[in-house]
Amino acid sequence: MDKKVIGIIAAYTLIMTSLLVATFGADWNPSGYDYSIDGQTLTIEEGLFSKETETVDVSDKQMEAVLFYLEVSKERSLWYTDVTVIGLILPFLLLGFIPERRPFRKFIPKQWYIIIVAAIALLYGAYSVTGHLEHLVQIEEYVSQLLE
């Protein structure tokens, strides 16, 4: 293996290890919201690095609490899908820098390969960002209803 291939492998490993540790080790998601339930008490954690916590009695707000749980679950699910797609698209992006190792090099010219892979990444990114923004708006709405 030459230095370029080793560099690509190292970059992929570093990026994916960081994403996987943050996602599954630290239970991180882009919304910054998490929760824990203890009987009728809901603890809402907000923040990406420094968590602010609010405790709510949900005995009379069960519908809002369930809707909040559902939106946070949807956000986590979308993030898990994002991590999977990043893991699948990233090698194709990185291999675009090594012409002799690039997939489909006999069938697709380098410029078209880069355009196709970048377009796929951008299209998925647009889909994903809009999904995260929709979930975040809903989560914030349910949090404000719970904290009233």
Side-chain angles (χ1 to χ4, degrees):
M1 277 199 259
D2 60 350
K3 291 181 181 181
K4 287 183 183 180
V5 174
I6 293 172
I8 296 295
I9 292 170
Y12 180 79
T13 303
L14 180 66
I15 292 168
M16 288 309 298
T17 301
S18 300
L19 282 174
L20 292 171
V21 166
T23 300
F24 297 107
D27 200 26
W28 182 84
N29 67 66
S31 73
Y33 284 94
D34 200 4
Y35 65 90
S36 59
I37 305 165
D38 184 23
Q40 293 293 322
T41 304
L42 169 68
T43 303
I44 300 172
E45 299 174 356
E46 180 184 0
L48 297 177
F49 301 108
S50 61
K51 301 276 187 183
E52 297 177 22
T53 60
E54 296 281 343
T55 304
V56 179
D57 180 23
V58 293
S59 58
D60 59 338
K61 299 178 180 182
Q62 291 180 352
M63 180 58 99
E64 291 86 357
V66 169
L67 291 171
F68 171 72
Y69 307 154
L70 179 65
E71 280 303 319
V72 172
S73 295
K74 286 180 183 177
E75 174 65 19
R76 283 188 186 138
S77 178
L78 181 58
W79 178 243
Y80 294 162
T81 303
D82 289 349
V83 170
T84 303
V85 170
I86 290 168
L88 293 172
I89 292 177
L90 188 60
F92 290 102
L93 287 171
L94 293 174
L95 287 172
F97 296 110
I98 306 175
E100 63 275 1
R101 299 279 185 175
R102 182 175 43 85
F104 313 114
R105 67 182 171 275
K106 294 180 182 178
F107 307 107
I108 302 173
K110 180 181 179 182
Q111 293 80 11
W112 279 104
Y113 175 82
I114 292 171
I115 289 170
I116 291 169
V117 173
I120 291 169
L122 288 174
L123 286 172
Y124 184 78
Y127 160 77
S128 176
V129 167
T130 57
H132 287 295
L133 291 176
E134 289 173 10
H135 293 304
L136 184 59
V137 167
Q138 287 295 315
I139 289 170
E140 288 177 350
E141 181 180 322
Y142 294 135
V143 166
S144 67
Q145 289 174 4
L146 286 167
L147 296 178
E148 289 178 343

